[in-house]
Each structure stands twice: as structure tokens, then as C-alpha cells.
Amino acid sequence: TTIIDHHASPSFIRGSLEQMDLPVWVAALESARLEGLALREVDLSAQRWLWDAQSLREMRAVYTPTASGWSARLEGVGAQGQLSFIEGRLTARLQRLELDTLPLAEPADVAARTAEPGTARGEPANPLDWPALSLSSDKLLLSGADYGALVLNTSKTGLGQSVDTLSLAGGVLEGSAVGDWQRAGGQSSAKLKFDLSSRDMASVLRSLGFTPNLSAHYRDTELRVKAV
């Protein structure tokens, strides 16, 4: 059951939903802002928030437009902290972020979730259409696995985005990475240089939706990967 309450003033939206499709709502709110709709606050709660192949558990989000963008307060099991969008950069300062990897068969319309805003469904995403990111979370959990602290910073380039900082520390997977994601001439390309290590690769594989096939003899063996 979906309940959306529109108060006497159309500038306020209150809602309680079983499931929330984040890309759809983000695109709708941005469109409303650009068209000059005078939204003062959007307060939505959902049992599950979907984004591509990931979902967040029960959470409340309170969205407030600002003079230069917007801010949002997140409360719940899925995430706890603050978001802000200013001049093309999305900043997240979170105490906790808990995601679940969806089964490969869910959602059925994968193309709808991978399509970028404003394009036909199924077209490859364009990194230039995504905001630059400044994300930090004191605790990242993925399908129950504790990945520790996460830091991710990106910046826009002429052809896409660069991954300036990506680091994980204190959890089942530790390490850092840098790289870029570009799209030109109808073609996409990505490069990533990373150094990762794990002493619990079985938990990492399970959290990513894979079934580990590791004997007890190797479960405590450290895995280290370097790539350019």
C-alpha cells in the first residue's frame, strides 16, 4: 500500500511507501526544482529503497530545497546521516550505510534501472550526467558483511568523471583505488587502479551475490589484489 498525503499547501509532501525507486524520485525532484515548483519539504518513508542492483532497508528521508540545491536528512536502518547537492556535487556524510545486493532476477526490468535520466531505457549511462561525489560513511554494510569505513570522491572531467579517492578500512575488504569513467563517440570506457586485501573472501563474495566455494583450509588465507 502506498500513501502520499498532500497537505493544504502543495509545497509539502508526506509519504509512506512499501518500496521506493530512488532514480525515479531523484529525477522527479530535480525536474520539479528546475521548473520552479515551490517545494518546501518532502518527507518520505519506505520499507525498501531501490537503486540499480542494491537496496536500502527501512529509512526515512526528509528533503529540503536550498538556494543553491537541496539537502536531505536520512534516518533509519538503511542509512543515517546527511546529504546535500550544491553546484553539481552530491555530498554525503553518513554514520551508517547498509545495502543489500538484489538477486540477479530482481528487478526484472534491469534496463529501466540502468538507464540514465532523460534517455531511452537501456541506453548506457553517461558519466557526465552523474553528479560529482563526496561520500563518507563511518560504517558500510553490504548484505550483512561489514566493510568498515568508506570514502569516495569523484570529480568531473571533459569526457566523464575521475575517481580521485576510493578507500575501505576496518572491514572484510580493505584497500584503495583511483581511476576514471569516460564516454565519447558513443563508447564507454573505464580504468581502475586498485590495491585490495581481504582475510574473509567468503563474506565478500556472499555480500556481492556470489556463492563462495572455499574450503576451510583457505578461509583464513589473506587475498591481496593489485591492478592497473
Side-chain angles (χ1 to χ4, degrees):
T1 302
T2 298
I3 302 171
I4 297 289
D5 296 326
H6 299 274
H7 287 234
S9 169
S11 59
F12 290 90
I13 296 177
R14 304 283 189 271
S16 178
L17 304 96
E18 291 181 359
Q19 184 169 291
M20 173 74 73
D21 194 319
L22 271 171
V24 172
W25 273 90
V26 169
L29 291 173
E30 181 64 9
S31 177
R33 185 184 70 84
L34 293 175
E35 292 176 8
L37 183 62
L39 280 174
R40 293 180 60 187
E41 185 178 272
V42 178
D43 186 344
L44 297 174
S45 298
Q47 296 299 311
R48 185 166 70 159
W49 301 67
L50 299 179
W51 184 283
D52 195 11
Q54 305 295 329
S55 71
L56 285 86
R57 299 182 184 182
E58 181 181 357
M59 188 178 69
R60 175 191 179 197
V62 181
Y63 164 97
T64 307
T66 65
S68 54
W70 55 263
S71 66
R73 186 177 76 254
L74 308 180
E75 302 173 347
V77 177
Q80 187 82 27
Q82 192 78 21
L83 299 180
S84 64
F85 181 77
I86 300 174
E87 297 180 351
R89 176 168 291 274
L90 178 62
T91 300
R93 297 289 178 259
L94 307 176
Q95 290 78 55
R96 175 189 178 90
L97 177 61
E98 183 164 355
L99 303 168
D100 288 316
T101 301
L102 296 174
L104 293 178
E106 181 188 356
D109 189 3
V110 176
R113 300 199 183 284
T114 56
E116 63 195 58
T119 66
R121 288 186 172 186
E123 291 184 14
N126 188 334
L128 288 174
D129 291 333
W130 290 71
L133 297 174
S134 294
L135 167 65
S136 66
S137 180
D138 297 337
K139 188 179 222 29
L140 169 65
L141 293 103
L142 180 58
S143 297
D146 185 355
Y147 278 72
L150 166 69
V151 176
L152 171 61
N153 294 305
T154 73
S155 57
K156 290 201 172 186
T157 64
L159 296 176
Q161 296 210 34
S162 66
V163 179
D164 304 318
T165 306
L166 173 56
S167 68
L168 290 164
V172 294
L173 186 68
E174 295 189 290
S176 61
V178 294
D180 60 58
W181 175 26
Q182 300 182 354
R183 184 164 178 81
Q187 300 292 321
S188 296
S189 65
K191 294 185 297 183
L192 195 64
K193 178 181 179 181
F194 58 87
D195 183 356
L196 301 173
S197 65
S198 175
R199 289 186 177 275
D200 189 358
M201 200 59 193
S203 292
V204 173
L205 292 172
R206 277 192 294 266
S207 70
L208 296 173
F210 298 100
T211 301
N213 185 16
L214 302 174
S215 68
H217 177 72
Y218 291 105
R219 282 180 185 163
D220 295 327
T221 301
E222 180 178 2
L223 172 69
R224 178 170 293 276
V225 180
K226 292 185 179 181
V228 178

